Amino acid sequence: MATEHAAAAINPWHVAQRQFDLAADRLNLDPGLRRVLREPRRELTVHFPVKMDDGSVQVLTGYRVQHNLGRGPAKGGIRYHPDVTLDEVKALAMWMTWKCAVVAIPFGGGKGGVVVDPKKLSMKELEALTRRFTTEISVLIGPERDIPAPDVNTNAQVMAWMMDTYSMHVGYTVPGVVTGKPISLGGSEGRAEATARGVVYTIIEAARELELDLNGATVAVQGFGNAGSIAARLMAAEGSKVIAVSDSSGGIHREEGLDVERVMAWKREHGTVVGFPGAEPISNADLLELPCDVLIPAALENVITERNAERIGARIVAEAANGPTTPEADAILFRRGVFVIPDILCNAGGVTVSYFEWVQDLNRDHWSETIVNAKLREIMVKAFSEVRSMATREACDNRLAAYLLAVQRVADATAMRGLYP
Ligand code: NAD
């Protein structure tokens, strides 16, 4: 698949560092601060055994990286995927630092991953993997230190196992050690939809600025998991026509619009969107180039590159995924007038409601979904407006504007704290 090929060729850590360098140059950042912020604070690699159902023992590799702790404890998801690398996790951890700073929530950046294809595991094996991985990274995590959350191929059940494992170690229940938990274990109302809801709040703001009516607008979504499928559903609720969606097996296209609820039901039953009746098949690469109003990449990194950026057919690219666009592609999209809502702003709704969940856990409180969504909207709209003001003032693209805001906030915090010892 073209996307996988492109992703394999480009190192996300190099992309993350180049994006940081562009901002550091423009901010004329102090060289010492620059050296500090350019590298992760901590990188942990673990190799751990898991007993499989057939009695054999597999040794898996996992990572937890903390990029920066200047503004608060590390925060970031755990990914289970066969292509996970340390460099990918480092990039994702750095992006988390900037993301938390863009929306001004008091966290630093972290990320974790295990090199595994969870689709090949039974529930029992998945639980054993999760509990042992949690144990291995327990030297880093904790409600005041580093708080994991779901990411690609992890969900509320995985977070419940992580919370239980950590709690067993310390001898009492610690809901605040992970977010994205089931509601029954201290999860927040609205967390499952939060990433997608935040994406849609930023699309609404962008559409307002571009005078694009979302009612009847056409939308294509790459990746039909937590972020992508719910974003598709919420865009349909705005009256938009979702004309194409995809997952790792391929995509489906219907120019008159897909019934998103029915596609979700099809995916639940068949494990993929492919084969959905009444739609044409489309490759992941072709989906990205469809003429449409809004393109939502919601799968993996490096899918919009210098190879296809000239042919991206959307007016708005809303980055639900982390790192879908390379710096070379950014320059091309900016020149072509494509309105990119950068990942560290666009998908920050997930970590924002994770922050709400953590606050509720620490206070033994529970907020209504109405309150959660209203607070989320306020934060996303404010961050969007700050990024757009910066882009206008600096005459730059939205990604650089978001980086300028975020890097300055983290640099200020780091400088104020001073160097220890
Ligand atoms: P998920 O596991 O729920 O869904 C991932 C989707 O991407 C699946 O439909 C999968 O089939 C598809 N996919 C995987 N490889 C693909 C490929 N090569 N081509 C096309 N599709 C492919 O994961 P998610 O939580 O929805 O995460 C998706 C993206 O959103 C990631 O970049 C993640 O970092 C980002 N994100 C997620 C959250 C969150 O709260 N879950 C928050 C912020 C950002």
Side-chain angles (χ1 to χ4, degrees), residues 1 3-4 7 79-81 83 92 96 99 111 119 149-154 191-192 194-196 222-229 246-250 267 271 273 284 297-301 303 319-324 343 347-351 354:
M1 187 187 309
T3 51
E4 279 166 351
R79 176 174 292 195
Y80 291 169
H81 195 278
D83 298 337
L92 289 161
M96 286 306 296
K99 191 181 301 181
K111 203 82 180 191
K119 289 178 192 148
D151 192 74
V152 173
N153 291 328
T154 56
R191 174 61 185 88
T195 302
Q222 184 192 53
F224 204 66
N226 176 281
S229 67
S246 69
D247 57 33
S248 55
S249 306
K267 169 127 187 160
V273 298
N284 265 290
L300 296 175
E301 298 90 61
V303 293
E319 295 184 338
N322 285 305
D343 49 6
N347 70 38
V351 75
S354 274

Side-chain angles (χ1 to χ4, degrees), residues 223-286:
F224 204 66
N226 176 281
S229 67
I230 300 175
R233 198 180 75 203
L234 294 175
M235 288 306 290
E238 292 295 318
S240 301
K241 248 189 339 181
V242 178
I243 59 168
V245 300
S246 69
D247 57 33
S248 55
S249 306
I252 53 173
H253 177 209
R254 186 170 185 270
E255 204 48 44
E256 304 76 38
L258 294 157
D259 181 333
V260 177
E261 296 292 346
R262 283 185 51 219
V263 179
M264 286 171 104
W266 179 268
K267 169 127 187 160
R268 269 195 299 278
E269 194 182 331
H270 300 270
T272 172
V273 298
V274 172
F276 181 73
E280 301 290 314
I282 186 168
S283 72
N284 265 290
D286 289 344

